[in-house]
Amino acid sequence: MNTAAFLAYVDGRRLRWELVLDHCAQTAGKDPRTQLLAVFDALAEWAHAPCDGFRSNAFVNARVALAEPGSVIRAVVTEHKHALRARMLTLAEAAGARDPGLLVDQLLLIFEGAVSTRSLGTVEAPAEMARHTADQLIAAAVAQAPVPRGIARP
């Protein structure tokens, strides 16, 4: 495998993800709570993208296939995940979450679970379900009612 070519591919995917995430965050407005939910809106948009959505999640594939500690690919994937966590932590703090770190860790578990279940086909509409679950967690963490939004439940 050509590591340089794969790193360029992963970097392109990272850039596309950041553009989708930034667009969803901009659409969500200024409230840090809706900004946190925008991460899950971006996840849903990414999942349903016509190019390939989750069919080929480069970060998951790289992490699974090349999980050797110390590998450059693992470092790139980990850096991407840390950047997402840092962004979400800033928003959780701004939203007034009682324990921002715990909230973000819970949200990331839901996020990654949605990615995995989408690729396996074990949950219908996993990105949308993840958003619904994230909304409930955020509401509980900041002691506010969930942001209303319909969810198609099978």
Side-chain angles (χ1 to χ4, degrees):
M1 173 177 160
N2 182 330
T3 302
F6 187 78
L7 287 173
Y9 167 75
V10 168
D11 191 51
R13 296 284 299 216
R14 179 198 52 77
L15 179 58
R16 284 184 14 222
W17 162 251
E18 288 176 3
L19 290 171
V20 169
L21 181 56
D22 289 345
H23 169 74
C24 288
Q26 184 178 28
T27 302
K30 302 272 185 214
D31 179 15
R33 218 174 111 213
T34 59
Q35 289 279 312
L36 271 172
L37 288 172
V39 172
F40 293 89
D41 293 335
L43 182 67
E45 188 172 320
W46 188 261
H48 302 294
C51 61
D52 61 6
F54 286 164
R55 183 175 51 82
S56 174
N57 189 311
F59 293 103
V60 172
N61 293 342
R63 176 69 175 93
V64 170
L66 305 162
E68 297 175 25
S71 78
V72 67
I73 294 171
R74 182 174 177 163
V76 168
V77 171
T78 301
E79 180 183 324
H80 168 72
K81 299 296 183 178
H82 282 297
L84 179 59
R85 186 183 191 286
R87 182 176 183 153
M88 292 173 73
L89 184 60
T90 298
L91 293 168
E93 290 168 346
R98 287 183 294 280
D99 187 341
L102 176 62
L103 174 61
V104 170
D105 289 344
Q106 292 169 329
L107 293 174
L108 287 172
L109 287 169
I110 294 165
F111 183 96
E112 296 297 340
V115 172
S116 295
T117 57
R118 173 99 156 83
S119 66
L120 296 171
T122 56
V123 173
E124 190 172 329
E128 292 77 7
M129 292 299 295
R131 187 197 190 280
H132 179 71
T133 304
D135 192 11
Q136 293 174 332
L137 276 174
I138 294 165
V142 299
Q144 296 177 356
V147 174
R149 180 164 177 167
I151 180 168
R153 182 73 174 133

